Amino acid sequence: DWSSDVCSSDLFAHNGVVQGLGELDRRLAELGAAGLVGGETDSERIFALITAETRRLGGDVTAGLTGAIGWISARLPVYALNLVLITATDLWALRYPATHELYVLDRPAGGQPLDAASSHRIHAQSPDLARQPSVVIASERMDDDTGWRLLAPGELLHVSSALQIDSTAPFPAEPAHLLQVSDLDPAAASSQHPQAAPS
């Protein structure tokens, strides 16, 4: 499942499972950020850690995100950590590790309107995107556009307000404690692979 948290002008979505939340809570307390968490999910704790690291590093979101995910990758059991983070001006997307796919589509102006559908009942339409460039992030190819590109495992994408795309690989190909689907409880496993869940 993608879960979202909104804080100020930020939007955060995470697809995956991170365990060891007690250790993550202790890290948030060390950073003075325990108050950023109000619920029980790994997603809000990941977002809180990114927020705390960004604040600690003077507002540099790329550095904060890299620091937070690097800390999680080195210390906590991780099944998947795909994420999208959006501020008022910029977007970051991470595919980590190879567990789930994450795609980017860089659309120039002057093309067709966006009319894309996934196999999971998501349908995105925008006639305005025929007149202006855009960057689309999706967990699967949503149409037959040949411009879709699969992010590499560990690839962090940054899209600026001018739609300039920068790509880095600041993480190892796999986290130190990589979980397999067999390590997950049934609810977590079915949330990650709903098509495999019994009907």
Side-chain angles (χ1 to χ4, degrees):
D1 280 336
W2 286 93
S3 60
S4 302
D5 294 294
V6 179
C7 175
S8 176
S9 60
D10 297 335
L11 173 71
F12 178 75
H14 163 233
N15 183 19
V17 175
V18 173
Q19 296 180 351
L21 300 188
E23 187 174 351
L24 185 45
D25 284 341
R26 286 187 290 277
R27 178 63 177 159
L28 289 169
E30 289 171 6
L31 294 172
L36 296 176
V37 177
E40 302 299 321
T41 67
D42 57 351
S43 298
E44 66 182 307
R45 284 166 170 78
I46 295 163
F47 185 38
L49 185 60
I50 293 168
T51 300
E53 288 289 352
T54 299
R55 289 176 182 168
R56 186 176 70 83
L57 297 168
D60 184 333
V61 177
T62 299
L65 195 156
T66 302
I69 301 307
W71 186 92
I72 291 169
S73 170
R75 290 167 179 81
L76 302 183
V78 173
Y79 179 69
L81 230 172
N82 283 13
L83 63 84
V84 176
L85 174 64
I86 302 171
T87 67
T89 58
D90 293 52
L91 177 148
W92 293 260
L94 171 67
R95 179 184 180 212
Y96 195 59
T99 310
H100 294 310
E101 295 179 340
L102 193 62
Y103 291 87
V104 60
L105 175 63
D106 187 6
R107 301 179 82 246
Q112 296 294 317
L114 178 67
D115 188 0
S118 78
S119 61
H120 298 295
R121 299 173 306 205
I122 297 172
H123 191 183
Q125 291 180 302
S126 176
D128 293 336
L129 293 187
R131 297 186 297 274
Q132 60 191 34
S134 61
V135 176
V136 181
I137 307 291
S139 55
E140 61 185 273
R141 290 182 177 93
M142 295 183 70
D143 59 24
D144 58 1
D145 192 311
T146 58
W148 286 104
R149 180 178 73 79
L150 178 64
L151 272 65
E155 182 176 358
L156 176 61
L157 212 66
H158 173 225
V159 184
S160 73
S161 59
L163 298 185
Q164 173 68 40
I165 300 175
D166 294 312
S167 174
T168 59
F171 310 110
E174 292 185 351
H177 309 285
L178 180 63
L179 296 170
Q180 304 300 318
V181 70
S182 58
D183 298 319
L184 305 179
D185 65 53
S190 66
S191 76
Q192 296 303 296
H193 302 282
Q195 67 280 8
S199 52

